[in-house]
Amino acid sequence: MEKLMIRGGRPLRGTVQISGAKNSAVALLPASLLAESEVILDNLPILSDVAVYSEILQDLGGKVTWNEGTIRIDPSEMRSIPMPNGKVKLLRASYYLMGAMLGRFGEATIGMPGGCNFEPRPIDQHIKGFEALGATVSNDHGSIHISAKELRGTKIYLDVVSVGATINIMLAASRAKGSTIIENAAKEPEIIDVATLLNAMGAKIKGAGTETIRIEGVDVLHGCRHSIIPDRIQAGTYMIAAAATRGDVLIDNVIPKHMEAMTAKLQEMGVRVYEMDEAIRIVGQPTYSAIDVKALVYPGFATDLQSPMTSLLTRADGVSILSDYVYSNRFKHVPELARMGAKIRVEGRSAIIEGGPLHAAKVRAADLRAGAALMVAALTVEDGVTEISGVEYIDRGYDSLVDNLRMLGAEVWRENE
């Protein structure tokens, strides 16, 4: 096991390239098995979750070749096999195999997914969608077994706005008979990315990115080539880090529209933000104003950026309030920030943050975004070296993190624990 070592106090300066979106990649990879011929994905992030997913596709009989940012998947000889344990337990997004295998083979047996455990995230809306399409779903010793002689399109209303359920239903419905309508669908850019891939494969999907998605099922999907959208969470983290260190960073390969909620909050604090066609420049300032932030479903402020935003708010003058209306208990980073001297208290869904300097400490990442919060905090510390263990969580979401931070002037390295 490794730990991340950071000697802070250096403003980040320079340019950082954002990789493909992790939250897209882990849905696009299983989506590829719906095709009958080769699927090529470009701008693929080099992450542990992506590596695990590529191994899962090979276990299912797919031929997978991965060369830097491009992966080729030949799903023509894939077969349906039960996957109750093993690799599916290593990542949360393994549940996308349910919709993809159901659409391709008419059945799936998948163990309950793993990943970051900051809060239980039930899959009841996924199951509701599968059953509405005509599938039978049962829970057998911790594994979900789904089967259908024939999937038939229908109208499905999601009781809760869910990215995972929206994508999973799209995957299955793309091969169903007739028309499917998903109402109260999630609107995240990653959903549009998955719909774009499926349409390029021959699916008929309209309305992705709105609350109503219409899908006309087709019998066969074919291979295609698709470039993954930039990772808005990775981009937002670097925006936060640049502001927190009072640096000057050009974040390249981004879609500024995806960052509007983050941009608005940074500007409210007093950060200078300059938008270009495919880049955003962040120029930090000597002082920042305290603000209130509410994490909401897209297009609101992303819950995945709530944790690193907490660290930035310790740099503001006064008291800020950060509330998460997506997950009620996503504050595992707060006790670790307290070890670094942060003055934060949690009340229900909100963290009340009093600005003030932080100091070096030994801390542990409890999940992916908590690790990002500790990384941002460590970069601001004026004296000493912060040791962050649990680096395996951070590696799930940040491609070439150490190299990128070094190119921006940070003093960061890894050591074995």
Side-chain angles (χ1 to χ4, degrees), residues 6-20:
I6 299 177
R7 188 186 302 276
R10 296 186 176 190
L12 300 184
R13 300 187 186 279
T15 300
V16 61
Q17 292 284 331
I18 300 303
S19 64

Side-chain angles (χ1 to χ4, degrees), residues 30 213 389:
I213 300 176
S389 56

Side-chain angles (χ1 to χ4, degrees), residues 75 125 130 140 161 164 174 184 262 273 292 323-324 346 375:
Q125 296 302 298
F130 297 147
D140 184 18
V161 177
S174 65
N184 199 32
M262 169 59 70
V273 182
D292 293 344
S323 304
D324 196 325
V346 176
M375 179 268 292

Side-chain angles (χ1 to χ4, degrees), residues 26 54 56 86 122-123 138 171 200 208 231-232 302 320 368:
V26 294
S54 67
I56 290 174
I123 60 170
S138 61
L171 295 176
D231 194 312
R232 62 192 174 95
S320 301
L368 167 55

Side-chain angles (χ1 to χ4, degrees), residues 188-414:
E188 272 72 2
E190 293 78 14
I191 291 170
I192 300 174
D193 207 22
V194 174
T196 301
L197 171 72
L198 292 173
N199 284 338
M201 290 163 59
K204 298 177 180 178
I205 302 173
K206 296 181 179 179
T210 74
E211 63 183 14
T212 303
I213 300 176
R214 291 176 168 82
I215 306 159
E216 189 71 31
V218 298
D219 293 331
V220 177
L221 294 174
H222 54 75
C224 68
R225 188 163 197 154
H226 174 79
S227 183
I228 300 172
I229 61 171
D231 194 312
R232 62 192 174 95
I233 306 303
Q234 187 185 114
T237 302
Y238 283 110
M239 291 170 71
I240 288 170
T245 61
R246 311 194 198 282
D248 185 345
V249 176
L250 181 72
I251 296 132
D252 201 10
N253 188 35
V254 298
I255 300 175
K257 183 173 177 58
H258 294 172
M259 311 309 304
E260 286 179 345
M262 169 59 70
T263 296
K265 284 302 171 182
L266 291 182
Q267 290 175 328
E268 189 178 339
M269 290 185 69
V271 181
R272 291 183 183 175
V273 182
Y274 303 93
E275 293 186 356
M276 287 145 263
D277 289 342
E278 297 181 351
I280 295 176
R281 180 184 172 195
I282 301 297
V283 181
Q285 301 300 305
T287 61
Y288 296 130
S289 301
I291 61 170
D292 293 344
V293 180
K294 295 179 180 179
L296 300 164
V297 296
Y298 189 84
F301 191 93
T303 180
D304 279 350
L305 290 171
Q306 176 257 99
S307 300
M309 190 67 177
T310 306
S311 298
L312 173 58
L313 293 176
T314 66
R315 303 286 273 171
D317 297 330
V319 177
S320 301
I321 301 176
L322 193 157
S323 304
D324 196 325
Y325 290 95
V326 180
Y327 298 115
S328 60
N329 189 32
R330 199 172 192 177
F331 293 108
K332 289 187 176 180
H333 55 292
V334 170
E336 299 304 298
L337 289 176
R339 292 175 181 270
M340 301 178 68
K343 299 176 182 178
I344 307 173
R345 70 178 189 276
V346 176
E347 296 182 0
R349 288 180 173 270
S350 300
I352 294 88
I353 306 152
E354 182 179 347
L358 304 179
H359 56 73
K362 294 182 179 180
V363 293
R364 173 171 290 276
D367 59 64
L368 167 55
R369 307 307 174 186
L374 298 176
M375 179 268 292
V376 171
L379 290 170
T380 72
V381 173
E382 296 291 340
D383 297 307
V385 175
T386 299
E387 300 182 14
I388 305 174
S389 56
V391 178
E392 65 274 12
Y393 287 111
I394 303 175
D395 289 340
R396 291 186 51 235
Y398 294 93
D399 191 340
S400 306
L401 177 66
V402 170
D403 290 342
N404 285 342
L405 290 176
R406 283 177 174 169
M407 285 191 295
L408 295 174
E411 189 175 352
V412 53
W413 67 97
R414 292 174 183 258

Side-chain angles (χ1 to χ4, degrees), residues 117-162:
N117 187 28
F118 55 80
E119 182 174 282
R121 289 178 280 182
I123 60 170
D124 57 317
Q125 296 302 298
H126 305 235
I127 293 171
K128 173 183 176 178
F130 297 147
E131 290 178 336
L133 291 169
T136 299
V137 183
S138 61
N139 190 330
D140 184 18
H141 298 93
S143 294
I144 303 297
H145 179 70
I146 313 165
S147 63
K149 291 183 178 179
E150 184 178 70
L151 295 174
R152 289 197 169 273
T154 186
K155 182 181 288 188
I156 302 167
Y157 180 87
L158 296 180
D159 301 312
V160 179
V161 177
S162 166

